[in-house]
Amino acid sequence: MKGSLVAFDTVGGRPAAARMVDGRLEDLLIDAPDDRIVPGTIYRARVGRPLKGQGGAIVETPDGALFLRQAKGLGQGDSLLVQTSTFAEPGKATPATTRLLFKSRFVLVTPGAEGTNIARSIRDDERRVELRELLSEISLPDGMGLVLRTASADGDDQAIVDDVSQTIDIASKIMSEPLTGSPEKLLDGPTSSDLAWRDWPQPDVTDA
């Protein structure tokens, strides 16, 4: 068939999403096994042992140990918010960062990096003005910034506003979590269907 199609099914018993363009497979996403920590997962974690010579530390979560590369100023037993950045390599802890990002289809919300921006890939000046007007209607909490993603170029204005508002709300709730208490998972990383909706262009046809 001509055009693009996104299909959802299972591969090896795990949920999967496939993107087809003109009858050819362009991308395939498969959910990770249940025992793998997915990139983008957010935890309240506790600092464990430092890794001397690496400038990092092991941090403890309910799902296992993570490797925090930059742990300067942190002491063993401290609690903090972390987000996994990639899958773990064999025999190693899953990498994590304290720089949390909240990514959705139309927006990237950036705690700790204030300001509002529009993706450089959106080159149409008239559309950029329209998006700036949309941003003027949105209230950002202190200390947060955002970037409108490329999908905003062709997105419905109300859908963009709703997506931005929902993502800011999620970010605000996570960032206001108390650091007291036991390690806890606060936000699941995206599934294959989440990633397909978030990162793939709008298809001509969707087949569930």
Side-chain angles (χ1 to χ4, degrees), residues 40-75:
T41 306
I42 296 177
Y43 296 95
R44 179 173 59 238
R46 180 179 294 131
V47 179
R49 60 184 175 87
L51 297 177
K52 295 181 179 180
Q54 298 186 42
I58 293 296
V59 297
E60 302 165 359
T61 79
D63 296 328
L66 309 179
F67 170 59
L68 183 63
R69 184 175 298 278
Q70 296 180 346
K72 186 177 180 180
L74 296 174

PDB file of all heavy atoms in Angstrom, residues 40-75:
ATOM      1  N   GLY A  40      13.702   6.441  30.818  1.00  0.00           N
ATOM      2  CA  GLY A  40      12.641   7.398  31.093  1.00  0.00           C
ATOM      3  C   GLY A  40      11.904   7.147  32.393  1.00  0.00           C
ATOM      4  O   GLY A  40      11.090   7.969  32.817  1.00  0.00           O
ATOM      5  N   THR A  41      12.189   6.015  33.049  1.00  0.00           N
ATOM      6  CA  THR A  41      11.562   5.718  34.336  1.00  0.00           C
ATOM      7  C   THR A  41      12.118   6.663  35.405  1.00  0.00           C
ATOM      8  O   THR A  41      13.319   6.933  35.443  1.00  0.00           O
ATOM      9  CB  THR A  41      11.832   4.259  34.747  1.00  0.00           C
ATOM     10  OG1 THR A  41      11.407   3.391  33.689  1.00  0.00           O
ATOM     11  CG2 THR A  41      11.087   3.907  36.021  1.00  0.00           C
ATOM     12  N   ILE A  42      11.236   7.161  36.264  1.00  0.00           N
ATOM     13  CA  ILE A  42      11.642   8.102  37.309  1.00  0.00           C
ATOM     14  C   ILE A  42      11.432   7.464  38.681  1.00  0.00           C
ATOM     15  O   ILE A  42      10.388   6.864  38.944  1.00  0.00           O
ATOM     16  CB  ILE A  42      10.859   9.423  37.205  1.00  0.00           C
ATOM     17  CG1 ILE A  42      11.199  10.122  35.879  1.00  0.00           C
ATOM     18  CG2 ILE A  42      11.178  10.350  38.385  1.00  0.00           C
ATOM     19  CD1 ILE A  42      10.419  11.403  35.645  1.00  0.00           C
ATOM     20  N   TYR A  43      12.443   7.621  39.531  1.00  0.00           N
ATOM     21  CA  TYR A  43      12.404   7.059  40.879  1.00  0.00           C
ATOM     22  C   TYR A  43      12.755   8.117  41.923  1.00  0.00           C
ATOM     23  O   TYR A  43      13.514   9.053  41.642  1.00  0.00           O
ATOM     24  CB  TYR A  43      13.449   5.943  41.033  1.00  0.00           C
ATOM     25  CG  TYR A  43      13.254   4.730  40.180  1.00  0.00           C
ATOM     26  CD1 TYR A  43      13.907   4.619  38.951  1.00  0.00           C
ATOM     27  CD2 TYR A  43      12.455   3.676  40.606  1.00  0.00           C
ATOM     28  CE1 TYR A  43      13.755   3.487  38.165  1.00  0.00           C
ATOM     29  CE2 TYR A  43      12.305   2.535  39.821  1.00  0.00           C
ATOM     30  CZ  TYR A  43      12.953   2.447  38.606  1.00  0.00           C
ATOM     31  OH  TYR A  43      12.806   1.323  37.829  1.00  0.00           O
ATOM     32  N   ARG A  44      12.217   7.908  43.114  1.00  0.00           N
ATOM     33  CA  ARG A  44      12.853   8.468  44.303  1.00  0.00           C
ATOM     34  C   ARG A  44      13.843   7.404  44.747  1.00  0.00           C
ATOM     35  O   ARG A  44      13.454   6.278  45.065  1.00  0.00           O
ATOM     36  CB  ARG A  44      11.839   8.758  45.408  1.00  0.00           C
ATOM     37  CG  ARG A  44      12.504   9.324  46.669  1.00  0.00           C
ATOM     38  CD  ARG A  44      11.499   9.780  47.721  1.00  0.00           C
ATOM     39  NE  ARG A  44      10.626   8.701  48.141  1.00  0.00           N
ATOM     40  CZ  ARG A  44       9.293   8.747  48.049  1.00  0.00           C
ATOM     41  NH1 ARG A  44       8.695   9.802  47.545  1.00  0.00           N
ATOM     42  NH2 ARG A  44       8.555   7.728  48.454  1.00  0.00           N
ATOM     43  N   ALA A  45      15.122   7.746  44.728  1.00  0.00           N
ATOM     44  CA  ALA A  45      16.174   6.761  44.980  1.00  0.00           C
ATOM     45  C   ALA A  45      16.999   7.164  46.194  1.00  0.00           C
ATOM     46  O   ALA A  45      16.930   8.300  46.668  1.00  0.00           O
ATOM     47  CB  ALA A  45      17.073   6.635  43.752  1.00  0.00           C
ATOM     48  N   ARG A  46      17.780   6.216  46.660  1.00  0.00           N
ATOM     49  CA  ARG A  46      18.668   6.468  47.797  1.00  0.00           C
ATOM     50  C   ARG A  46      20.107   6.189  47.372  1.00  0.00           C
ATOM     51  O   ARG A  46      20.389   5.165  46.750  1.00  0.00           O
ATOM     52  CB  ARG A  46      18.289   5.584  48.980  1.00  0.00           C
ATOM     53  CG  ARG A  46      19.174   5.790  50.216  1.00  0.00           C
ATOM     54  CD  ARG A  46      18.733   4.914  51.371  1.00  0.00           C
ATOM     55  NE  ARG A  46      17.412   5.309  51.850  1.00  0.00           N
ATOM     56  CZ  ARG A  46      16.407   4.455  52.062  1.00  0.00           C
ATOM     57  NH1 ARG A  46      16.566   3.170  51.820  1.00  0.00           N
ATOM     58  NH2 ARG A  46      15.244   4.891  52.513  1.00  0.00           N
ATOM     59  N   VAL A  47      20.997   7.117  47.712  1.00  0.00           N
ATOM     60  CA  VAL A  47      22.401   6.966  47.344  1.00  0.00           C
ATOM     61  C   VAL A  47      23.018   5.817  48.139  1.00  0.00           C
ATOM     62  O   VAL A  47      22.909   5.759  49.370  1.00  0.00           O
ATOM     63  CB  VAL A  47      23.182   8.267  47.609  1.00  0.00           C
ATOM     64  CG1 VAL A  47      24.661   8.082  47.249  1.00  0.00           C
ATOM     65  CG2 VAL A  47      22.583   9.416  46.806  1.00  0.00           C
ATOM     66  N   GLY A  48      23.660   4.907  47.406  1.00  0.00           N
ATOM     67  CA  GLY A  48      24.361   3.802  48.038  1.00  0.00           C
ATOM     68  C   GLY A  48      25.855   4.072  48.074  1.00  0.00           C
ATOM     69  O   GLY A  48      26.293   5.174  48.401  1.00  0.00           O
ATOM     70  N   ARG A  49      26.618   3.100  47.660  1.00  0.00           N
ATOM     71  CA  ARG A  49      28.070   3.241  47.748  1.00  0.00           C
ATOM     72  C   ARG A  49      28.613   4.110  46.613  1.00  0.00           C
ATOM     73  O   ARG A  49      28.161   4.018  45.476  1.00  0.00           O
ATOM     74  CB  ARG A  49      28.736   1.869  47.720  1.00  0.00           C
ATOM     75  CG  ARG A  49      28.453   1.058  46.470  1.00  0.00           C
ATOM     76  CD  ARG A  49      29.070  -0.324  46.565  1.00  0.00           C
ATOM     77  NE  ARG A  49      28.703  -1.153  45.421  1.00  0.00           N
ATOM     78  CZ  ARG A  49      29.360  -1.169  44.275  1.00  0.00           C
ATOM     79  NH1 ARG A  49      30.424  -0.392  44.113  1.00  0.00           N
ATOM     80  NH2 ARG A  49      28.981  -1.952  43.275  1.00  0.00           N
ATOM     81  N   PRO A  50      29.593   4.958  46.922  1.00  0.00           N
ATOM     82  CA  PRO A  50      30.249   5.736  45.867  1.00  0.00           C
ATOM     83  C   PRO A  50      31.173   4.845  45.048  1.00  0.00           C
ATOM     84  O   PRO A  50      31.669   3.822  45.534  1.00  0.00           O
ATOM     85  CB  PRO A  50      31.041   6.781  46.653  1.00  0.00           C
ATOM     86  CG  PRO A  50      31.315   6.124  47.967  1.00  0.00           C
ATOM     87  CD  PRO A  50      30.119   5.257  48.258  1.00  0.00           C
ATOM     88  N   LEU A  51      31.385   5.224  43.797  1.00  0.00           N
ATOM     89  CA  LEU A  51      32.305   4.501  42.925  1.00  0.00           C
ATOM     90  C   LEU A  51      33.545   5.362  42.743  1.00  0.00           C
ATOM     91  O   LEU A  51      33.577   6.270  41.909  1.00  0.00           O
ATOM     92  CB  LEU A  51      31.636   4.193  41.582  1.00  0.00           C
ATOM     93  CG  LEU A  51      30.409   3.281  41.659  1.00  0.00           C
ATOM     94  CD1 LEU A  51      29.792   3.102  40.280  1.00  0.00           C
ATOM     95  CD2 LEU A  51      30.773   1.925  42.254  1.00  0.00           C
ATOM     96  N   LYS A  52      34.536   5.105  43.540  1.00  0.00           N
ATOM     97  CA  LYS A  52      35.743   5.920  43.530  1.00  0.00           C
ATOM     98  C   LYS A  52      36.445   5.813  42.178  1.00  0.00           C
ATOM     99  O   LYS A  52      36.527   4.750  41.583  1.00  0.00           O
ATOM    100  CB  LYS A  52      36.677   5.470  44.650  1.00  0.00           C
ATOM    101  CG  LYS A  52      36.101   5.699  46.046  1.00  0.00           C
ATOM    102  CD  LYS A  52      37.071   5.262  47.123  1.00  0.00           C
ATOM    103  CE  LYS A  52      36.483   5.515  48.513  1.00  0.00           C
ATOM    104  NZ  LYS A  52      37.408   5.093  49.595  1.00  0.00           N
ATOM    105  N   GLY A  53      36.930   6.952  41.723  1.00  0.00           N
ATOM    106  CA  GLY A  53      37.620   6.996  40.443  1.00  0.00           C
ATOM    107  C   GLY A  53      36.704   7.212  39.263  1.00  0.00           C
ATOM    108  O   GLY A  53      37.161   7.519  38.165  1.00  0.00           O
ATOM    109  N   GLN A  54      35.380   7.061  39.464  1.00  0.00           N
ATOM    110  CA  GLN A  54      34.428   7.267  38.379  1.00  0.00           C
ATOM    111  C   GLN A  54      33.582   8.521  38.592  1.00  0.00           C
ATOM    112  O   GLN A  54      32.845   8.926  37.700  1.00  0.00           O
ATOM    113  CB  GLN A  54      33.510   6.051  38.236  1.00  0.00           C
ATOM    114  CG  GLN A  54      34.245   4.765  37.884  1.00  0.00           C
ATOM    115  CD  GLN A  54      33.281   3.620  37.619  1.00  0.00           C
ATOM    116  OE1 GLN A  54      32.254   3.779  36.964  1.00  0.00           O
ATOM    117  NE2 GLN A  54      33.607   2.445  38.136  1.00  0.00           N
ATOM    118  N   GLY A  55      33.665   9.091  39.793  1.00  0.00           N
ATOM    119  CA  GLY A  55      32.882  10.286  40.080  1.00  0.00           C
ATOM    120  C   GLY A  55      31.401  10.035  40.188  1.00  0.00           C
ATOM    121  O   GLY A  55      30.595  10.966  40.139  1.00  0.00           O
ATOM    122  N   GLY A  56      31.018   8.772  40.313  1.00  0.00           N
ATOM    123  CA  GLY A  56      29.604   8.427  40.372  1.00  0.00           C
ATOM    124  C   GLY A  56      29.278   7.631  41.613  1.00  0.00           C
ATOM    125  O   GLY A  56      30.089   7.507  42.538  1.00  0.00           O
ATOM    126  N   ALA A  57      28.062   7.106  41.632  1.00  0.00           N
ATOM    127  CA  ALA A  57      27.619   6.314  42.775  1.00  0.00           C
ATOM    128  C   ALA A  57      26.521   5.360  42.335  1.00  0.00           C
ATOM    129  O   ALA A  57      25.851   5.580  41.316  1.00  0.00           O
ATOM    130  CB  ALA A  57      27.099   7.222  43.888  1.00  0.00           C
ATOM    131  N   ILE A  58      26.353   4.310  43.096  1.00  0.00           N
ATOM    132  CA  ILE A  58      25.219   3.410  42.927  1.00  0.00           C
ATOM    133  C   ILE A  58      24.056   3.973  43.733  1.00  0.00           C
ATOM    134  O   ILE A  58      24.222   4.374  44.889  1.00  0.00           O
ATOM    135  CB  ILE A  58      25.566   1.994  43.418  1.00  0.00           C
ATOM    136  CG1 ILE A  58      26.636   1.366  42.521  1.00  0.00           C
ATOM    137  CG2 ILE A  58      24.325   1.116  43.449  1.00  0.00           C
ATOM    138  CD1 ILE A  58      26.200   1.146  41.083  1.00  0.00           C
ATOM    139  N   VAL A  59      22.880   4.048  43.110  1.00  0.00           N
ATOM    140  CA  VAL A  59      21.685   4.480  43.835  1.00  0.00           C
ATOM    141  C   VAL A  59      20.679   3.338  43.842  1.00  0.00           C
ATOM    142  O   VAL A  59      20.582   2.569  42.888  1.00  0.00           O
ATOM    143  CB  VAL A  59      21.069   5.763  43.233  1.00  0.00           C
ATOM    144  CG1 VAL A  59      22.039   6.920  43.337  1.00  0.00           C
ATOM    145  CG2 VAL A  59      20.652   5.558  41.787  1.00  0.00           C
ATOM    146  N   GLU A  60      19.955   3.243  44.938  1.00  0.00           N
ATOM    147  CA  GLU A  60      19.049   2.119  45.154  1.00  0.00           C
ATOM    148  C   GLU A  60      17.620   2.498  44.792  1.00  0.00           C
ATOM    149  O   GLU A  60      17.144   3.584  45.129  1.00  0.00           O
ATOM    150  CB  GLU A  60      19.116   1.689  46.619  1.00  0.00           C
ATOM    151  CG  GLU A  60      20.515   1.295  47.078  1.00  0.00           C
ATOM    152  CD  GLU A  60      20.637   1.237  48.594  1.00  0.00           C
ATOM    153  OE1 GLU A  60      19.627   1.525  49.277  1.00  0.00           O
ATOM    154  OE2 GLU A  60      21.733   0.912  49.077  1.00  0.00           O
ATOM    155  N   THR A  61      16.933   1.586  44.085  1.00  0.00           N
ATOM    156  CA  THR A  61      15.521   1.750  43.737  1.00  0.00           C
ATOM    157  C   THR A  61      14.803   0.437  44.009  1.00  0.00           C
ATOM    158  O   THR A  61      15.455  -0.600  44.209  1.00  0.00           O
ATOM    159  CB  THR A  61      15.340   2.119  42.251  1.00  0.00           C
ATOM    160  OG1 THR A  61      15.481   0.928  41.451  1.00  0.00           O
ATOM    161  CG2 THR A  61      16.350   3.164  41.794  1.00  0.00           C
ATOM    162  N   PRO A  62      13.477   0.432  43.984  1.00  0.00           N
ATOM    163  CA  PRO A  62      12.750  -0.831  44.187  1.00  0.00           C
ATOM    164  C   PRO A  62      13.022  -1.855  43.090  1.00  0.00           C
ATOM    165  O   PRO A  62      12.795  -3.051  43.292  1.00  0.00           O
ATOM    166  CB  PRO A  62      11.278  -0.403  44.170  1.00  0.00           C
ATOM    167  CG  PRO A  62      11.277   1.055  44.386  1.00  0.00           C
ATOM    168  CD  PRO A  62      12.553   1.569  43.849  1.00  0.00           C
ATOM    169  N   ASP A  63      13.499  -1.393  41.922  1.00  0.00           N
ATOM    170  CA  ASP A  63      13.735  -2.292  40.794  1.00  0.00           C
ATOM    171  C   ASP A  63      15.199  -2.678  40.633  1.00  0.00           C
ATOM    172  O   ASP A  63      15.566  -3.320  39.643  1.00  0.00           O
ATOM    173  CB  ASP A  63      13.235  -1.641  39.499  1.00  0.00           C
ATOM    174  CG  ASP A  63      11.733  -1.422  39.513  1.00  0.00           C
ATOM    175  OD1 ASP A  63      11.020  -2.230  40.143  1.00  0.00           O
ATOM    176  OD2 ASP A  63      11.272  -0.434  38.914  1.00  0.00           O
ATOM    177  N   GLY A  64      16.028  -2.277  41.581  1.00  0.00           N
ATOM    178  CA  GLY A  64      17.436  -2.621  41.493  1.00  0.00           C
ATOM    179  C   GLY A  64      18.327  -1.394  41.491  1.00  0.00           C
ATOM    180  O   GLY A  64      17.863  -0.251  41.567  1.00  0.00           O
ATOM    181  N   ALA A  65      19.622  -1.639  41.390  1.00  0.00           N
ATOM    182  CA  ALA A  65      20.605  -0.566  41.466  1.00  0.00           C
ATOM    183  C   ALA A  65      20.718   0.179  40.140  1.00  0.00           C
ATOM    184  O   ALA A  65      20.619  -0.410  39.062  1.00  0.00           O
ATOM    185  CB  ALA A  65      21.964  -1.138  41.853  1.00  0.00           C
ATOM    186  N   LEU A  66      20.939   1.494  40.239  1.00  0.00           N
ATOM    187  CA  LEU A  66      21.215   2.343  39.086  1.00  0.00           C
ATOM    188  C   LEU A  66      22.595   2.964  39.258  1.00  0.00           C
ATOM    189  O   LEU A  66      23.091   3.110  40.375  1.00  0.00           O
ATOM    190  CB  LEU A  66      20.177   3.463  38.955  1.00  0.00           C
ATOM    191  CG  LEU A  66      18.698   3.090  38.973  1.00  0.00           C
ATOM    192  CD1 LEU A  66      17.849   4.357  38.846  1.00  0.00           C
ATOM    193  CD2 LEU A  66      18.359   2.107  37.869  1.00  0.00           C
ATOM    194  N   PHE A  67      23.192   3.352  38.130  1.00  0.00           N
ATOM    195  CA  PHE A  67      24.477   4.035  38.179  1.00  0.00           C
ATOM    196  C   PHE A  67      24.265   5.516  37.892  1.00  0.00           C
ATOM    197  O   PHE A  67      23.811   5.895  36.813  1.00  0.00           O
ATOM    198  CB  PHE A  67      25.453   3.447  37.154  1.00  0.00           C
ATOM    199  CG  PHE A  67      26.711   4.262  36.994  1.00  0.00           C
ATOM    200  CD1 PHE A  67      27.542   4.496  38.078  1.00  0.00           C
ATOM    201  CD2 PHE A  67      27.052   4.806  35.767  1.00  0.00           C
ATOM    202  CE1 PHE A  67      28.699   5.259  37.940  1.00  0.00           C
ATOM    203  CE2 PHE A  67      28.203   5.567  35.614  1.00  0.00           C
ATOM    204  CZ  PHE A  67      29.031   5.789  36.705  1.00  0.00           C
ATOM    205  N   LEU A  68      24.584   6.350  38.880  1.00  0.00           N
ATOM    206  CA  LEU A  68      24.494   7.799  38.736  1.00  0.00           C
ATOM    207  C   LEU A  68      25.893   8.329  38.467  1.00  0.00           C
ATOM    208  O   LEU A  68      26.777   8.233  39.320  1.00  0.00           O
ATOM    209  CB  LEU A  68      23.915   8.420  40.006  1.00  0.00           C
ATOM    210  CG  LEU A  68      23.682   9.932  39.992  1.00  0.00           C
ATOM    211  CD1 LEU A  68      22.648  10.308  38.941  1.00  0.00           C
ATOM    212  CD2 LEU A  68      23.236  10.408  41.367  1.00  0.00           C
ATOM    213  N   ARG A  69      26.084   8.892  37.274  1.00  0.00           N
ATOM    214  CA  ARG A  69      27.435   9.265  36.858  1.00  0.00           C
ATOM    215  C   ARG A  69      27.980  10.443  37.662  1.00  0.00           C
ATOM    216  O   ARG A  69      29.130  10.442  38.090  1.00  0.00           O
ATOM    217  CB  ARG A  69      27.447   9.607  35.367  1.00  0.00           C
ATOM    218  CG  ARG A  69      28.843   9.922  34.825  1.00  0.00           C
ATOM    219  CD  ARG A  69      28.809  10.136  33.329  1.00  0.00           C
ATOM    220  NE  ARG A  69      28.361   8.948  32.626  1.00  0.00           N
ATOM    221  CZ  ARG A  69      29.151   7.920  32.325  1.00  0.00           C
ATOM    222  NH1 ARG A  69      30.424   7.933  32.689  1.00  0.00           N
ATOM    223  NH2 ARG A  69      28.672   6.878  31.684  1.00  0.00           N
ATOM    224  N   GLN A  70      27.192  11.483  37.847  1.00  0.00           N
ATOM    225  CA  GLN A  70      27.664  12.673  38.546  1.00  0.00           C
ATOM    226  C   GLN A  70      27.033  12.721  39.933  1.00  0.00           C
ATOM    227  O   GLN A  70      25.870  13.096  40.083  1.00  0.00           O
ATOM    228  CB  GLN A  70      27.325  13.928  37.746  1.00  0.00           C
ATOM    229  CG  GLN A  70      28.035  13.981  36.397  1.00  0.00           C
ATOM    230  CD  GLN A  70      27.700  15.226  35.602  1.00  0.00           C
ATOM    231  OE1 GLN A  70      26.758  15.932  35.910  1.00  0.00           O
ATOM    232  NE2 GLN A  70      28.489  15.498  34.578  1.00  0.00           N
ATOM    233  N   ALA A  71      27.814  12.335  40.929  1.00  0.00           N
ATOM    234  CA  ALA A  71      27.294  12.241  42.291  1.00  0.00           C
ATOM    235  C   ALA A  71      28.040  13.166  43.247  1.00  0.00           C
ATOM    236  O   ALA A  71      28.016  12.961  44.459  1.00  0.00           O
ATOM    237  CB  ALA A  71      27.384  10.800  42.774  1.00  0.00           C
ATOM    238  N   LYS A  72      28.691  14.180  42.712  1.00  0.00           N
ATOM    239  CA  LYS A  72      29.450  15.102  43.554  1.00  0.00           C
ATOM    240  C   LYS A  72      28.525  15.798  44.546  1.00  0.00           C
ATOM    241  O   LYS A  72      27.461  16.292  44.190  1.00  0.00           O
ATOM    242  CB  LYS A  72      30.155  16.147  42.683  1.00  0.00           C
ATOM    243  CG  LYS A  72      31.083  17.068  43.465  1.00  0.00           C
ATOM    244  CD  LYS A  72      31.809  18.031  42.531  1.00  0.00           C
ATOM    245  CE  LYS A  72      32.743  18.945  43.313  1.00  0.00           C
ATOM    246  NZ  LYS A  72      33.470  19.887  42.409  1.00  0.00           N
ATOM    247  N   GLY A  73      28.938  15.831  45.805  1.00  0.00           N
ATOM    248  CA  GLY A  73      28.155  16.494  46.839  1.00  0.00           C
ATOM    249  C   GLY A  73      27.100  15.620  47.478  1.00  0.00           C
ATOM    250  O   GLY A  73      26.443  16.049  48.428  1.00  0.00           O
ATOM    251  N   LEU A  74      26.918  14.407  46.975  1.00  0.00           N
ATOM    252  CA  LEU A  74      25.925  13.501  47.544  1.00  0.00           C
ATOM    253  C   LEU A  74      26.592  12.566  48.546  1.00  0.00           C
ATOM    254  O   LEU A  74      27.727  12.121  48.343  1.00  0.00           O
ATOM    255  CB  LEU A  74      25.254  12.675  46.444  1.00  0.00           C
ATOM    256  CG  LEU A  74      24.420  13.453  45.425  1.00  0.00           C
ATOM    257  CD1 LEU A  74      23.940  12.521  44.323  1.00  0.00           C
ATOM    258  CD2 LEU A  74      23.229  14.123  46.106  1.00  0.00           C
ATOM    259  N   GLY A  75      25.868  12.274  49.614  1.00  0.00           N
ATOM    260  CA  GLY A  75      26.380  11.364  50.621  1.00  0.00           C
ATOM    261  C   GLY A  75      25.575  10.085  50.672  1.00  0.00           C
ATOM    262  O   GLY A  75      24.399  10.051  50.279  1.00  0.00           O
TER     263      GLY A  75
END
